[in-house]
């Protein structure tokens, strides 16, 4: 059984200039215990997709959803908000990039972890404390009891992110969504946090959706990759196939922007001219055509569907055969 399944999800925001569709026709599946990556340049809709799964946006004022999202065969978009709260945290947890603003500065680490434990497991405060210390250990934190007594400002950036992960783990989620969890951290700490997430994926058999724009990280950690461009999936494949034989020109360009051994990293996407268009100016035809070196007539007329090119590999490109 699939743990999570999106069918033709679309998320539209109400803005001053009318509705803007940030994500369109998104379909993919995640199995229990699987680690998948969602990659793409900033602004392509990665966070919107995952925040939609958790229904974190104001549905009265801000968003309208289309399509379907299933979690263990339950229709998420149809659930009453109380039921949704049980799923958030209890079943699906999310770790964000910015741990400092996600933690509450006036509460200790213990307060913040036990809040979630007690909410979901109904433990006594003492048992919750033991559990909290255990979660900190799981998150690779030494001297957990000392850390429990501290406030967020007393912790380093890496330590705060570990605390966020401990909070996420406290409710024993079946799925962890990690939204660029290491972005604000320095490189060695990034590697440690990624190791930690991988380790938890394997030890706890917890499925992970890793959002990142760093393909180098993906190569080491995930089994399957979804590549997004301008609100749509343009390629989906097992990691090895994606790296060995990318089937979409956008993925090709992303792969070329992986840092070299010397650590050099082009800060703009190698070989891609132009920049990501605005959502209000989505090109006719293939969304990537204006930046694509292979674009020809049909590409500018009709947006290609995401179709299988092999049994395990999908691409949204009219010219995939020439790549
Ligand atoms: N609250 C919002 N209102 C209007 N547009 C939004 C809102 N949140 C995100 N968007 C738009 O949705 C698109 C995708 O954003 P996002 O998912 O955050 O990108 P990323 O892939 O970097 O996570 C962007 O164009 C962004 O401007
Ligand atoms: Mg984002």
């Amino acid at each position: 059984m699939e743990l999570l399944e999106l069918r033709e999800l679309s998320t539209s925001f109400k803005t001053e200039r009318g509705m803007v569709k940030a994500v369109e026709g998104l379909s993919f599946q995640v199995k229990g215990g699987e680690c998948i990556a969602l990659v793409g340049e900033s602004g392509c809709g990665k966070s919107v997709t995952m925040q939609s799964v958790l229904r974190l946006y104001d549905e009265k004022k801000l968003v309208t959803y289309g399509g379907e999202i299933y979690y263990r065969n339950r229709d998420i978009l149809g659930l009453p908000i109380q039921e949704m709260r049980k799923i958030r945290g209890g079943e699906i947890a999310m770790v964000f990039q910015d741990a400092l603003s996600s933690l509450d500065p006036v509460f200790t680490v213990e307060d913040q972890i036990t809040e979630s434990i007690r909410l979901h497991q109904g433990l006594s405060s003492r048992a919750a404390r033991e559990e909290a210390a255990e979660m900190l250990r799981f998150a690779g934190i030494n001297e957990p009891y000392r850390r429990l007594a501290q406030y967020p400002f007393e912790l380093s950036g890496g330590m705060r992110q570990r605390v966020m992960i401990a909070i996420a783990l406290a409710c024993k989620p079946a799925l962890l969504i990690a939204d660029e969890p290491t972005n604000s951290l320095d490189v060695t700490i990034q590697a440690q946090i990624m190791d930690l997430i991988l380790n938890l994926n394997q030890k706890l058999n917890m499925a992970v959706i890793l959002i990142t724009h760093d393909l180098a990280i993906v190569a080491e950690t995930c089994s399957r990759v979804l590549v997004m461009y301008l609100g749509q999936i343009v390629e989906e494949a097992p990691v090895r196939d994606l790296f060995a034989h990318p089937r979409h020109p956008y993925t090709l360009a992303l792969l070329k922007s992986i840092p070299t051994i010397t650590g050099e990293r082009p800060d703009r996407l190698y070989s891609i001219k132009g920049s990501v268009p605005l959502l209000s100016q989505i090109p006719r035809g293939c969304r990537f055509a204006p930046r694509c070196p292979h674009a020809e007539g049909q590409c500018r007329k009709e947006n290609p569907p995401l179709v299988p090119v092999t049994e395990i590999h999908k691409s949204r490109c009219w010219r995939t055969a020439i790549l």
Side-chain angles (χ1 to χ4, degrees), residues 30 33-37 174-178 197 201 206-210:
V30 183
E34 201 181 12
C35 183
I36 73 159
L175 172 62
L176 177 72
I177 299 170
I197 290 176
N201 164 243
M206 175 182 68
V208 173
I209 300 178
L210 176 66

Side-chain angles (χ1 to χ4, degrees), residues 35 37 194-195 198 201-202 210 216-223 239:
C35 183
M194 284 319 306
D195 279 349
L198 248 201
N201 164 243
Q202 282 159 8
L210 176 66
I217 286 179
V218 170
E220 294 164 17
T221 49
C222 300
S223 59
V239 167

Side-chain angles (χ1 to χ4, degrees), residues 211-225:
I211 302 181
T212 177
H213 52 249
D214 192 337
L215 275 167
I217 286 179
V218 170
E220 294 164 17
T221 49
C222 300
S223 59
R224 199 151 53 86
V225 190

Side-chain angles (χ1 to χ4, degrees), residues 37-85:
L38 188 57
V39 305
E41 277 167 289
S42 165
C44 68
K46 305 181 297 295
S47 298
V48 168
T49 302
M50 288 308 145
Q51 305 225 40
S52 302
V53 167
L54 287 175
R55 288 176 60 193
L56 292 176
Y57 296 115
D58 183 338
E59 290 163 27
K60 292 206 179 87
K61 299 197 185 110
L62 186 63
V63 299
T64 315
Y65 297 117
E68 291 150 294
I69 302 174
Y70 291 93
Y71 178 76
R72 295 191 198 275
N73 288 337
R74 288 171 81 194
D75 170 17
I76 287 229
L77 292 178
L79 286 181
I81 215 72
Q82 277 98 323
E83 289 298 308
M84 206 48 230
R85 284 205 191 100

Side-chain angles (χ1 to χ4, degrees), residues 94-111:
M94 190 151 169
V95 179
F96 299 90
Q97 169 181 334
D98 187 359
L100 189 54
S101 64
S102 310
L103 289 167
D104 194 326
V106 302
F107 291 102
T108 62
V109 169
E110 178 172 349
D111 292 334

